[in-house]
Amino acid sequence: MTADSIPAPKSLNYRTVGIVAISYFTFGAIGLSFAIPPGYASPIFPAAGLAAALMLWSGNRAWLGVWLGSFVLNLSVSWLNADLNLLSTLVACGIACGATLQALLAASLVTWQIGKSWQEMELESDIIRSLLLAGVLGCVVSASVGVSVLYVAGIITSAAYINSWWSWWVGDTLGVLIVMPLSLVVLYRKYSPWNNRLKTIGIPMMLVLLAVAGVVTLASNWEQGFRKEEIRKHGEAFEKLLQQRYIAHREVIAALARLMEVVPDMNYEQFEYFTGITLKDNPDIFALSYNPYVPFLQRKEFERHMSEIGAARDFKIKERDQSGFKDAAKRDVYVPVGFIAPLAGNQEAIGFDISSDLIRHDAIKSALRSTDIAVTAPIRLVQEKQDRLAILILRPAYYDVKSDFKANAAKVMGFATGIIRIDELITIATASARVKDLVYQIDDITAGRQALYHSNGALARGDDGYMWRTKIVIADRTWELKVWPTAEYMQKQPIPVAWVISIIGLFFTALLQVLMLVITGRTSLVEKKVHEQTKELELKRDELQDSNAQLKALFTLSPDGFVALSSEDVVQFVNPAFEEISGIASNDVMGRHVSFLDIELKNRVEFPGQFNGIFAYFPAPGEIAVRYELVLQHPRKAVLQIIGIHSDAPSVSRILYLRDITSEAEVANLKTEFISHAAHELRTPMTSIYGYIELLLHRNFDENLRREMLQAMQRQAELIVNMINELLDLARIDARGGKDFRFSEVDIHGLLVRIIADMKLGKASCNILLDLPVSVVNIVGDETKIRQAIMNVLTNAEKYSLEGTPIKVTLLVQNNEISIVIRDQGIGMSAEQLKHVGERFWRADTSGSTPGTGLGMSIVKEIVEFHHGHVDIESKLGMGTTVILRFPQSH
């Protein structure tokens, strides 16, 4: 089937548009599933190839389905990323327009360059040009439009523009190079040559793509594992430094608690002196404080004592609500801030009862239970104006430290407290381990996963697929550290091995497909050529068979004989006419040497001694064929004309032609006899006329004798005229074949009556008896010719009968046949004479005493036979003759 025989695409209905859109969406989703991190660039976008194929198939009518499929696909991506809004909708619309324009341009370029040849893709040039135009050139459109839309929308930066364009173009190009031919294979699977390509290309290419996908998956998994391991190491380094920083702060707090136990009567100047170096070395420690453990009964005394030795002259235990600080309410125990360093910026915190806050109170209880370090959940500092998270690290101090846990709990002195800003703690602790563009997040699991820290700001987004997490035990609390890469981090990584492998694999897959298209195209061309040649051979075979059949029919129906001899002088063919002419059966000579044919012919010729074999009838090479005559005696006497010719055919070297010319020889003899008879018959009366003329010219006769001589000359002249008229009648009948006959309804009854009346009128002694039926008898014929035939028979009957002897004419009607029976009682004829009646110039009376030309009965037979009748003659010598003219009856 040629490209012209593939049906033209029809207009697409809504159902077909929907199928196109769903197909594009499905192929696009498959392409996005091939995305390889980092960057998640897809090495192939099959929907681009499908769109180009659909545009070619539909004559650019599938554009709406392509646009809808692309729009829904990109809108779904935004929805899955929880980013569905007006901007993402406009972006999806722009990308869909680019994809549609690309498919339209690809189809237009292909049809512009190679016309309808893309429907077959049999020539290498058509295949390569189609793929280069639709893929390499056409895919510039979607990449340019799509990436530009993303850039304008602020989704990608100018730095990422070129890389994004390149990845987009490569994915679309490979999609067109691989998927467009496969889609055409499916779309035109019912038509040649695509029907064969469904198995030879479609199935192998699917297997190759699966193999490439498998290799890429393995490489991608390995590379992802490598990236994850890299991120894990960064995370562990981060965790280690954070743990070390915490341990250092824990030791600082523990040392402060022991100092308070050793120097319980420390004043503020001493406290500030001992904490100053620590604060200087640890800038992430916002403040260090000592919070005495004050029972309610000792509150006033404690406040007076602190006013004397503390940082505030009017020291009061206080708490805070929404309106600000106020005196602490009555409670069993207070844990106010007694000493705090540095004092600057922390003045408001002096006297604040940390046990009045639920979070701090829980930490106090935890420290008292464990007699060791406790850490609060994230809090807001009362003295801090900024909205920053901090934690308190508390350790109880005792008046008399003993090994007995319960004894220690009863003698608690207060709490050494460190106020730590979380962001500064983590920033300072992990400065050497932090990697740019990695996201670090710490949540307090004990506090219900309350966020403690999030690097890169609260809006930073990363790749959860690479997330690494671990738990960190901080005193009595459990934190969770999560680390994952941002898109920027992934983009800065070396080109992914899996992506490179996939591009190389898909590129060679495309080359393999091109090779297979070329091979199948050549195969299709060869098959077409073979098919055309086969058809041509079949046509020639049919023509040859028809020619052979015609020749065989001609040879079979030909009245002439043919004998074909092979190059080994074996009889190959004998036609039926040869058997009939020669009397030699084909089975006796077919397949046998020509010598057997010579023997058979020699047994049948008139003069066997003069027969030298059939090779004698063939001319020597370069000579013209000569016609010979061969006379056979058996099985009948026949004269044959023989011509031998040489043949150039490989299977037949000689052909012997035999023609039965017996009739022609007889006709030639008849012509000779006819001329002899005509000359004889004409010469006799002419001699008489000539003699009388000689006498009349040279001698004088009396009037009576002279008159008799003239009368004799008149009779001889009449005889000559009658003879000439009869010859002319026969000549006209022979020459015109009855064309001068004028057929009409003829009343034989009336015709016979008129003929007899005319004869009796001309000769009174005429004795003709009529026996006619009562009814009218008609035939279809030429009345003049029928009258001539009847007159010739009656004239003969009267001529060969004694004068006055009755002649009986009977008209009979029987078996749809009309018979005119004329019976005389004349001299009659013998059986031998009866055989020659009707021959021209033959007469029963050879004495010449009865005048006549010998042509009368010939004319009778000719006329009756041209009326589809026949003549029957019955006669016995001396007993008269009966002539019956039989005509078919008209209806």
Side-chain angles (χ1 to χ4, degrees):
M1 177 172 291
T2 62
D4 292 334
S5 61
I6 294 179
K10 300 178 180 178
S11 58
L12 304 184
N13 53 32
Y14 291 116
R15 179 173 176 272
T16 307
V17 171
I19 293 174
V20 170
I22 293 171
S23 301
Y24 187 96
F25 178 87
T26 304
F27 276 63
I30 293 173
L32 294 179
S33 69
F34 290 155
I36 298 173
Y40 288 89
S42 178
I44 181 172
F45 193 63
L50 174 67
L54 288 173
M55 288 297 183
L56 287 170
W57 167 75
S58 66
N60 292 336
R61 295 183 178 91
W63 67 269
L64 181 58
V66 172
W67 189 92
L68 287 173
S70 178
F71 177 74
V72 175
L73 174 67
N74 289 281
L75 209 61
S76 301
V77 172
S78 300
W79 177 74
L80 291 173
N81 292 330
D83 193 25
L84 186 60
N85 50 42
L86 178 60
L87 179 61
S88 62
T89 303
L90 293 175
V91 169
C93 181
I95 294 174
C97 290
T100 305
L101 288 174
Q102 174 174 287
L104 286 169
L105 177 63
S108 300
L109 287 173
V110 171
T111 53
W112 169 57
Q113 276 295 309
I114 66 173
K116 290 186 177 181
S117 297
W118 65 265
Q119 293 182 332
E120 295 176 331
M121 284 195 186
E122 292 176 327
L123 299 176
E124 293 90 334
S125 59
D126 291 342
I127 295 169
I128 294 173
R129 281 193 296 168
S130 296
L131 295 178
L132 289 179
L133 290 171
V136 177
L137 184 58
C139 291
V140 171
V141 175
S142 183
S144 301
V145 174
V147 175
S148 297
V149 168
L150 294 176
Y151 173 73
V152 172
I155 298 175
I156 63 172
T157 64
S158 58
Y161 188 97
I162 298 299
N163 185 53
S164 299
W165 187 94
W166 169 255
S167 300
W168 195 309
W169 179 81
V170 169
D172 279 10
T173 299
L174 288 175
V176 171
L177 294 179
I178 294 175
V179 178
M180 187 181 81
L182 291 177
S183 300
L184 292 175
V185 167
V186 175
L187 291 170
Y188 290 119
R189 61 190 179 278
K190 295 181 180 179
Y191 307 104
S192 176
W194 301 101
N195 50 1
N196 295 325
R197 286 173 170 167
L198 187 62
K199 293 181 179 179
T200 57
I201 295 181
I203 296 176
M205 286 305 301
M206 293 303 297
L207 296 176
V208 171
L209 287 173
L210 288 175
V212 171
V215 173
V216 171
T217 300
L218 291 176
S220 179
N221 290 338
W222 173 84
E223 194 162 29
Q224 287 186 47
F226 177 79
R227 300 294 181 199
K228 288 180 179 179
E229 179 65 18
E230 192 176 54
I231 293 171
R232 182 190 66 79
K233 290 180 180 179
H234 291 311
E236 287 180 346
F238 187 95
E239 175 198 10
K240 182 178 180 181
L241 292 175
L242 183 59
Q243 284 278 19
Q244 290 175 352
R245 192 70 178 178
Y246 162 70
I247 293 172
H249 292 341
R250 185 184 66 183
E251 294 302 320
V252 168
I253 302 304
L256 180 60
R258 287 193 296 272
L259 179 63
M260 296 308 298
E261 291 172 344
V262 174
V263 189
D265 297 329
M266 183 182 300
N267 58 27
Y268 178 74
E269 287 76 12
Q270 292 172 328
F271 181 83
E272 190 174 34
Y273 173 78
F274 284 113
T275 58
I277 297 174
T278 301
L279 290 171
K280 184 179 180 180
D281 294 339
N282 298 278
D284 54 329
I285 299 178
F286 181 71
L288 290 174
S289 69
Y290 172 66
N291 298 38
Y293 190 80
V294 182
F296 173 73
L297 296 177
Q298 299 176 6
R299 173 179 177 176
K300 288 185 178 181
E301 183 181 355
F302 173 77
E303 290 175 343
R304 181 187 58 79
H305 177 72
M306 290 303 296
S307 295
E308 294 175 354
I309 67 169
R313 293 182 180 181
D314 187 16
F315 184 92
K316 295 290 184 182
I317 298 176
K318 55 187 177 182
E319 61 185 26
R320 190 175 68 169
D321 59 13
Q322 294 179 353
S323 61
F325 289 104
K326 64 180 180 177
D327 289 344
K330 180 181 178 181
R331 57 180 61 90
D332 293 339
V333 176
Y334 301 95
V335 186
V337 177
F339 300 139
I340 187 167
L343 186 60
N346 294 308
Q347 188 74 34
E348 290 185 356
I350 294 176
F352 175 67
D353 180 13
I354 64 174
S355 67
S356 66
D357 178 70
L358 181 60
I359 295 176
R360 295 169 174 85
H361 181 73
D362 289 341
I364 293 170
K365 288 172 61 177
S366 176
L368 290 174
R369 283 195 303 269
S370 65
T371 67
D372 200 356
I373 293 290
V375 179
T376 65
I379 61 171
R380 310 288 179 185
L381 298 175
V382 296
Q383 66 274 34
E384 179 78 335
K385 301 302 182 183
Q386 301 180 20
D387 188 16
R388 299 170 70 180
L389 293 178
I391 59 172
L392 301 183
I393 302 177
L394 301 91
R395 187 183 189 282
Y398 299 94
Y399 288 110
D400 185 12
V401 180
K402 297 181 179 180
S403 60
D404 186 3
F405 174 80
K406 293 183 178 180
N408 288 339
K411 297 180 180 181
V412 62
M413 178 190 298
F415 295 88
T417 305
I419 300 105
I420 312 296
R421 284 180 177 153
I422 297 174
D423 53 354
E424 290 187 359
L425 166 69
I426 297 173
T427 300
I428 294 172
T430 62
S432 62
R434 277 200 319 275
V435 177
K436 187 181 180 182
D437 297 326
L438 279 181
V439 179
Y440 299 90
Q441 180 172 318
I442 299 176
D443 298 327
D444 188 344
I445 297 177
T446 310
R449 291 193 176 277
Q450 184 176 357
L452 295 175
Y453 175 80
H454 195 299
S455 66
N456 298 355
L459 295 178
R461 297 169 63 182
D463 192 332
D464 293 344
Y466 282 88
M467 180 180 289
W468 176 84
R469 64 182 69 198
T470 187
K471 292 181 180 179
I472 305 174
V473 177
I474 304 294
D476 56 342
R477 309 196 70 81
T478 302
W479 291 356
E480 183 181 50
L481 170 63
K482 294 187 287 187
V483 184
W484 70 88
T486 62
E488 291 78 7
Y489 176 88
M490 288 299 197
Q491 290 174 359
K492 292 178 181 179
Q493 298 301 307
I495 297 176
V497 175
W499 196 84
V500 174
I501 291 175
S502 64
I503 293 298
I504 294 174
L506 291 172
F507 177 74
F508 281 103
T509 300
L511 289 181
L512 175 62
Q513 181 168 252
V514 170
L515 179 62
M516 296 175 72
L517 284 171
V518 170
I519 293 174
T520 54
R522 286 184 177 179
T523 303
S524 177
L525 288 174
V526 171
E527 288 177 351
K528 282 186 177 180
K529 190 65 176 178
V530 170
H531 182 69
E532 291 174 359
Q533 290 179 345
T534 302
K535 272 193 170 181
E536 187 177 348
L537 289 174
E538 288 177 351
L539 182 62
K540 289 182 177 179
R541 180 201 63 192
D542 293 341
E543 291 177 353
L544 182 61
Q545 289 179 347
D546 184 60
S547 177
N548 289 340
Q550 293 179 17
L551 288 175
K552 186 175 181 180
L554 289 173
F555 285 137
T556 301
L557 299 176
S558 174
D560 301 330
F562 291 92
V563 178
L565 304 179
S566 69
S567 57
E568 290 82 15
D569 298 330
V570 175
V571 178
Q572 295 285 88
F573 173 78
V574 173
N575 73 330
F578 175 80
E579 297 185 45
E580 184 179 352
I581 291 172
S582 65
I584 300 174
S586 60
N587 293 335
D588 294 339
V589 293
M590 283 281 289
R592 306 181 75 176
H593 193 268
V594 69
S595 57
F596 289 92
L597 179 60
D598 288 339
I599 294 172
E600 293 292 335
L601 285 173
K602 193 169 186 177
N603 292 333
R604 289 168 170 75
V605 297
E606 184 178 19
F607 304 106
Q610 298 178 2
F611 180 74
N612 298 319
I614 64 172
F615 285 153
Y617 301 108
F618 288 93
E623 294 184 358
I624 300 175
V626 179
R627 300 184 181 189
Y628 298 91
E629 288 188 3
L630 183 67
V631 179
L632 299 182
Q633 289 294 108
H634 304 288
R636 63 183 179 84
K637 185 166 181 70
V639 180
L640 305 181
Q641 185 183 79
I642 299 180
I643 302 175
I645 58 175
H646 295 280
S647 171
D648 295 330
S651 59
V652 177
S653 63
R654 302 170 190 254
I655 297 175
L656 187 67
Y657 170 78
L658 298 93
R659 180 166 175 253
D660 188 350
I661 59 171
T662 304
S663 298
E664 295 177 11
E666 291 177 352
V667 168
N669 292 334
L670 286 175
K671 285 181 178 180
T672 302
E673 291 179 2
F674 174 79
I675 292 171
S676 176
H677 283 299
H680 175 74
E681 293 298 330
L682 288 172
R683 186 176 60 184
T684 300
M686 286 298 294
T687 301
S688 298
I689 293 172
Y690 181 77
Y692 285 124
I693 291 173
E694 283 287 324
L695 290 174
L696 290 173
L697 288 174
H698 296 93
R699 294 178 63 182
N700 292 321
F701 297 97
D702 58 25
E703 187 63 26
N704 291 332
L705 183 57
R706 184 181 179 87
R707 185 176 181 83
E708 289 179 1
M709 292 175 67
L710 290 173
Q711 289 176 346
M713 291 172 63
Q714 183 183 20
R715 287 193 298 271
Q716 295 299 322
E718 290 177 353
L719 182 62
I720 291 174
V721 170
N722 289 335
M723 184 182 298
I724 291 173
N725 287 335
E726 288 178 345
L727 285 173
L728 290 174
D729 287 340
L730 283 175
R732 278 194 299 269
I733 293 172
D734 289 342
R736 298 182 181 180
K739 291 181 180 179
D740 58 343
F741 282 41
R742 300 290 182 267
F743 289 90
S744 62
E745 287 283 341
V746 178
D747 178 10
I748 297 298
H749 187 285
L751 180 61
L752 288 172
V753 170
R754 290 192 296 274
I755 290 172
I756 302 304
D758 291 342
M759 290 186 70
K760 287 183 176 181
L761 181 63
K763 189 176 183 180
S765 62
C766 181
N767 186 13
I768 299 176
L769 306 176
L770 276 174
D771 183 9
L772 303 176
V774 177
S775 61
V776 176
V777 179
N778 293 335
I779 65 171
V780 175
D782 187 322
E783 182 175 342
T784 302
K785 302 296 182 183
I786 295 174
R787 179 186 181 90
Q788 182 179 2
I790 295 172
M791 285 292 295
N792 284 357
V793 175
L794 287 174
T795 300
N796 281 343
E798 185 181 25
K799 194 174 0 179
Y800 291 103
S801 300
L802 295 176
E803 187 174 354
T805 304
I807 299 172
K808 187 175 182 181
V809 178
T810 306
L811 181 61
L812 302 176
V813 180
Q814 54 186 352
N815 299 326
N816 294 325
E817 188 177 65
I818 295 174
S819 301
I820 302 173
V821 182
I822 301 174
R823 182 177 291 109
D824 65 53
Q825 299 177 13
I827 62 174
M829 291 179 289
S830 65
E832 182 63 26
Q833 290 175 322
L834 195 61
K835 293 179 182 179
H836 298 283
V837 175
E839 294 180 4
R840 297 178 183 182
F841 296 107
W842 183 87
R843 299 181 64 199
D845 179 17
T846 58
S847 64
S849 58
T850 304
T853 62
L855 297 174
M857 288 305 296
S858 296
I859 294 173
V860 170
K861 288 186 69 176
E862 295 283 349
I863 290 173
V864 173
E865 288 176 358
F866 269 110
H867 283 81
H868 305 292
H870 60 279
V871 177
D872 293 334
I873 301 175
E874 299 174 357
S875 181
K876 288 185 179 180
L877 193 61
M879 298 182 64
T881 301
T882 301
V883 178
I884 306 173
L885 307 181
R886 302 184 187 275
F887 297 92
Q889 184 179 7
S890 63
H891 298 282

